[in-house]
Amino acid sequence: MGATKLIISALLLLLFLFISTSNATPGKKLRARHRPCKRLVFYFHDIIYNGKNAMNATSAIVGAPAWANKTLLAGQNRFGDLIVFDDPITLDNKLHSPPIGRAQGFYIYDKKDIFSAWVGFSFVFNSAQRKGCINFAGADGPLLQKTRDISVIGGTGDFFMARGVATLMTDAFENQVYFRLRVDIKLYECW
Amino acid sequence: MGATKLIISALLLLLFLFISTSNATPGKKLRARHRPCKRLVFYFHDIIYNGKNAMNATSAIVGAPAWANKTLLAGQNRFGDLIVFDDPITLDNKLHSPPIGRAQGFYIYDKKDIFSAWVGFSFVFNSAQRKGCINFAGADGPLLQKTRDISVIGGTGDFFMARGVATLMTDAFENQVYFRLRVDIKLYECW
Amino acid sequence: MGATKLIISALLLLLFLFISTSNATPGKKLRARHRPCKRLVFYFHDIIYNGKNAMNATSAIVGAPAWANKTLLAGQNRFGDLIVFDDPITLDNKLHSPPIGRAQGFYIYDKKDIFSAWVGFSFVFNSAQRKGCINFAGADGPLLQKTRDISVIGGTGDFFMARGVATLMTDAFENQVYFRLRVDIKLYECW
């Protein structure tokens, strides 16, 4: 019965192999709902152009409804204002910390009765630490909610084919001109 | 030969286990092309601001080409008009049914010779029945085609990490001001 | 020991089956990082409206910052200009080659100190060769970099549920009015 023992060993090995690999797909790691395969926390800083701060402004109103203009955020919770931005990303919550990348894209206020926005933007990195983009889209609202979740819809370079969820938190909001967002990026598909 | 029988049973069990689980990845369900893992049908209702209907309007022109303005949809099939919306979502095709969520985002008419648009928006839910967002993007055109397919590019909350296809159908189109879309959401990646 | 041989054969068959199928998920093919499951190269051609070329223009400025207008690209590297386009797609780099589809969507210049843009658009096909859409989003910048990577965030029809990366290269750039992009589409998720 030596052969039988051998066969039983082979069966066990096969079972082990099967269990240990059935969770993996080559080139791509999928994780359970509450365990991101990568997690990153950054801050970015937005200073909106108001007609007087051209030197410091990192964003500008480029679309507005009929009842508004482009140097003053619109009434009714800014409904209809489209803002383009190129904002510094920092590792901590200080505006003047050395930027590690740029947040580039747009947001568009989309609700009359409360602050709410739809966003499409990228985190663009080009340093020794990180190269590549993380692309985001989704509903950033209601803005007065403590945290809001948007989607990571793709990535390139170090973030090749990434998917996930990013939790946005308004960390500061001053004088109608400056705000700072904390972005907690949780990737659930990493290649 | 009792041991051999045992081994054969073990082999069959292993084969069964293998077949039954090879389709599954933990945390994520992938389905064959024609079998969505989740399907949802909703309607949403858009009333565009025309300079006179501020009380009822749910959307507004916020960008327009050089030859147009923001209270009248542009000539040449509205080419260049960018519209921001915050539209009620309903379960049936009645404008005054109780809204179960909001469709928020933008559409931008992108063709001179026929109606066609590019859309980026979210379905935002915050009720006992459903919480979270479904995020959409894609080409909604040509608009006179009976149905058009766009992409579900992500989701949050109850729709965590969703991907799929949404089939849009113009269910009503009245007086240059009102339209109603039927949205048939088919998710093929559900977590 | 004939039965043992049979069992060994069965084990080997099972091992083979296991190895050959463990990479596959039904309906979806996942590939390793450097091996796209589909690759497509196209060109598209953009002629921006400048107030005088209405007949030929395929795109138009529809949003602009306070300091600019809609018939002249803005100063400071066009920061804040939002352009809507409906551009012909060709198989080679000739503007007048028969178009095989349309590139439709928007780009928005998002940086003051260099050319850089955020894009959201679709390739729309409707011919005997190909039907359906490929949807793109991401940071197309810096534009003077030879190539830039954006994300394929979804697809419909022949490109059902596609995901991947598209490498953009500015193939020509003339007179502030015309540019041509080469798009090298690499899909890593094909259904």
Side-chain angles (χ1 to χ4, degrees), chain B residues 25-62:
Chain B
T25 318
K28 185 175 186 179
K29 282 183 270 173
L30 296 169
R31 293 295 169 87
R33 183 158 181 149
H34 297 295
R35 292 184 47 210
C37 45
K38 193 175 242 176
R39 190 161 181 182
L40 300 155
V41 177
F42 298 120
Y43 293 81
F44 72 91
H45 308 260
D46 192 79
I47 303 171
I48 200 163
Y49 177 68
N50 66 359
K52 287 170 272 179
N53 58 353
M55 291 297 290
N56 298 326
T58 63
S59 69
I61 305 173
V62 305

Side-chain angles (χ1 to χ4, degrees), chain C residues 1 7 18 49 65 84 111 120 125 132 137 144-145 148 152 164 170:
Chain C
M1 278 311 183
I7 288 164
F18 173 53
Y49 177 69
V84 178
K111 212 158 165 54
F125 301 104
L144 298 182
Q145 228 170 259
R148 293 90 56 188
V152 174
T170 306

Side-chain angles (χ1 to χ4, degrees), chain A residues 14, chain B residues 11, chain C residues 4-16:
Chain A
L14 198 57
Chain B
L11 272 175
Chain C
T4 304
K5 269 191 195 155
L6 191 73
I7 288 164
I8 288 170
S9 302
L11 272 175
L12 288 175
L13 179 68
L14 198 57
L15 188 66
F16 171 77

Side-chain angles (χ1 to χ4, degrees), chain B residues 31 64 110 112 118 151 189, chain C residues 28 57 70 86 122 135 191:
Chain B
R31 293 295 169 87
D110 60 10
K112 288 182 196 170
W118 205 86
S151 292
E189 294 192 13
Chain C
K28 185 175 185 180
K70 290 174 186 168
D86 170 31
S122 301
N135 300 324
W191 283 61

Side-chain angles (χ1 to χ4, degrees), chain B residues 133-146:
Chain B
C133 293
I134 307 173
N135 299 323
F136 304 87
D140 177 18
L143 282 168
L144 297 182
Q145 231 170 257
K146 205 183 163 217

Side-chain angles (χ1 to χ4, degrees), chain B residues 131-189:
Chain B
K131 271 198 200 339
C133 293
I134 307 173
N135 299 323
F136 304 87
D140 177 18
L143 282 168
L144 297 182
Q145 231 170 257
K146 205 183 163 217
T147 63
R148 294 90 55 187
D149 281 352
I150 62 172
S151 292
V152 174
I153 58 173
T156 64
D158 292 350
F159 309 98
F160 180 80
M161 291 288 289
R163 286 191 78 228
V165 168
T167 300
L168 307 181
M169 194 183 87
T170 306
D171 192 53
F173 185 75
E174 290 163 17
N175 304 324
Q176 306 269 326
V177 169
Y178 174 74
F179 69 79
R180 179 172 65 234
L181 288 188
R182 183 183 185 274
V183 186
D184 182 351
I185 302 167
K186 286 153 283 188
L187 302 182
Y188 297 93
E189 294 192 13

Side-chain angles (χ1 to χ4, degrees), chain B residues 97-110:
Chain B
S97 292
I100 57 151
R102 307 296 295 187
Q104 301 183 325
F106 72 93
Y107 52 94
I108 187 162
Y109 287 100
D110 60 10

